[in-house]
Amino acid sequence: MQTFGAFLVSFLAASGMAAALPTEGQKTASIEVAYNKNYVAHGPTALFKAKRKYGAPISDNLKAAVAAKHSLTKRQTGSANTNPSDSADDEYITSVSIGTPAQVLPLDFDTGSSDLWVFSSETPKSSASGHTLYSPSKSSTAKKLSGSTWSIEYGDKSSSSGDVYTDVVTIGGFSVKTQAVESATKVSTQFVQDTVISGLVGLGFDVGNQVSPRPQKTWFSNAANSLAEPLFTADLRHQETGSYNFGFIDTSLAKGTIGYTPADGSEGYWGFTATGYSVGGAKLNRNSITGIADTGTTLLLLPDNIVDAYYNNVESAQYDDSQEGVVFDCSEDLPSFSFGVGGQTITISGDLLNLTPIEEGSSTCFGGLQSSADIGINIFGDVALKAALVVFDLGNERLGWAQK
Ligand SMILES: Cc1noc(C)c1CN(C)Cc1cc2n(n1)CCN(c1cc(N)ncn1)C2
């Protein structure tokens, strides 16, 4: 039968704590207490525990502070497939559920803008033909945001405008209960004709939202605090299904290491600086390129000097006025284009830089790399994003890039 002292020593030894063995008949014992250096104190939690221990009243604010800190609700994630809209990967389509019962619409996720807008029962019938529509009147959770309107124009001069509802919006299984859903009462021709999408989900920064008089938050901004991590990833692919993941990073989607670089959200976009570039696998130079990571733009749009440096390696390349871009023989093997970011090198294969024949069956192809000169901003659009797994990390205001 073990004495208490012997038991105590063996217990402490088993739990890795040192102990002084009491001499026979001694009435005291002393033990070192390990300090948990990983424990991060939280005032409200300490107060909560003390009040609970002595039966003191606990305010709702204190309960909320403790719940927020210990995220008593399970931190959540979302994952949605996204598919190229056509053979040129012009844009990517993701299914989004809006309202109760759910109305599922094919939308274009756009990190270059900050409005969630949809074709709706309020869109003129002549414009709405062929599109899937959101009908707020058929949703028991829709509420009109009275007095609010919106109007947006994109880089390609396409535009839309209308009024605003709030409703539940679910993407990849994650729901935002009160999301501003901007209903289109007017849409430009580019959208009318593009019947494969019924609107956009802006994944830019809230500062870019175009609702007046009170700008609204993006779906991701509303979701961020409830997600396991305040980030999402874009995995766009050439002629195959890709994904938008929210709240987690599936590193198996990439071959390379994720390199991070600061993101500048001040203009509403995901701005960043690439540290250099190269053509055809050469060593990266140190010519930095400041631009935006933009899932809503098809092309890679860079300064003329870079575009020229690239197409000087393409025998048949020439500027085509009617196409308003550089074209070349479809049969030509294109060199790759690489850029440095976050200490990593992202290489866009030559295949990804051949976007599509200029017309069905033509042997002349349109380049995925074009000039940004008349835009005033460099855009790493889908042509660049397809080469990488891209992490849009709102919590740390940074962008991560990993070679795919
Ligand atoms: C077809 C086709 N080809 O390329 C596109 C795009 C389409 C679809 N299309 C004609 C209709 C259309 C026009 C726009 N979109 N869709 C998406 C949002 N737009 C952006 C987003 C942004 N971040 N930056 C610039 N514009 C303009």
Side-chain angles (χ1 to χ4, degrees), residues 83-86 88-93 108 194 196-197 295 298 382:
N83 289 291
S85 61
D86 56 23
D89 301 343
D90 274 319
E91 52 193 358
Y92 286 78
I93 302 165
D108 180 6
D194 188 18
V196 293
I197 59 162
T295 58
T298 311
D382 300 341

Side-chain angles (χ1 to χ4, degrees), residues 175-402:
S175 295
V176 168
K177 289 193 175 27
T178 315
Q179 174 61 40
V181 178
E182 301 169 33
S183 163
T185 57
K186 194 174 174 192
V187 288
S188 68
T189 313
Q190 296 97 324
F191 289 113
V192 170
Q193 292 169 349
D194 188 18
T195 53
V196 293
I197 59 162
S198 290
L200 266 72
V201 175
L203 294 173
F205 289 77
D206 289 342
V207 65
N209 182 263
Q210 299 297 300
V211 171
S212 172
R214 286 174 305 284
Q216 299 297 304
K217 290 188 170 195
T218 69
W219 182 87
F220 172 62
S221 174
N222 282 321
N225 287 341
S226 304
L227 288 167
E229 293 180 272
L231 58 81
F232 65 91
T233 65
D235 171 25
L236 304 185
R237 294 186 175 243
H238 172 57
Q239 293 299 288
E240 64 173 292
T241 299
S243 67
Y244 284 97
N245 290 334
F246 296 92
F248 73 102
I249 300 172
D250 178 355
T251 51
S252 72
L253 295 173
K255 291 197 190 85
T257 305
I258 300 174
Y260 288 97
T261 192
D264 171 10
S266 58
E267 301 297 316
Y269 310 121
W270 287 86
F272 74 101
T273 297
T275 50
Y277 66 90
S278 69
V279 178
K283 188 173 178 301
L284 289 180
N285 63 25
R286 293 176 183 277
N287 302 5
S288 65
I289 311 167
T290 296
I292 66 172
D294 184 0
T295 58
T297 290
T298 311
L299 302 172
L300 169 58
L301 301 169
L302 297 177
D304 285 340
N305 65 307
I306 300 178
V307 173
D308 294 345
Y310 178 78
Y311 286 114
N312 284 343
N313 296 273
V314 180
E315 178 82 26
S316 61
Q318 58 182 344
Y319 187 83
D320 179 328
D321 284 323
S322 66
Q323 295 295 319
E324 291 187 37
V326 179
V327 300
F328 42 78
D329 291 351
C330 298
S331 60
E332 190 153 0
D333 282 336
L334 297 180
S336 63
F337 179 85
S338 301
F339 59 96
V341 61
Q344 299 298 316
T345 298
I346 304 299
T347 296
I348 308 168
S349 69
D351 291 350
L352 290 181
L353 287 156
N354 178 343
L355 193 72
T356 184
I358 57 171
E359 278 157 23
E360 184 86 24
S362 169
S363 63
T364 301
C365 279
F366 191 80
L369 169 60
Q370 298 292 344
S371 169
S372 63
D374 62 353
I375 299 175
I377 185 171
N378 298 312
I379 302 182
F380 292 76
D382 300 341
V383 163
L385 301 173
K386 277 181 264 185
L389 174 68
V390 186
V391 183
F392 295 80
D393 184 343
L394 180 64
N396 295 298
E397 291 213 23
R398 63 182 184 172
L399 275 168
W401 293 79

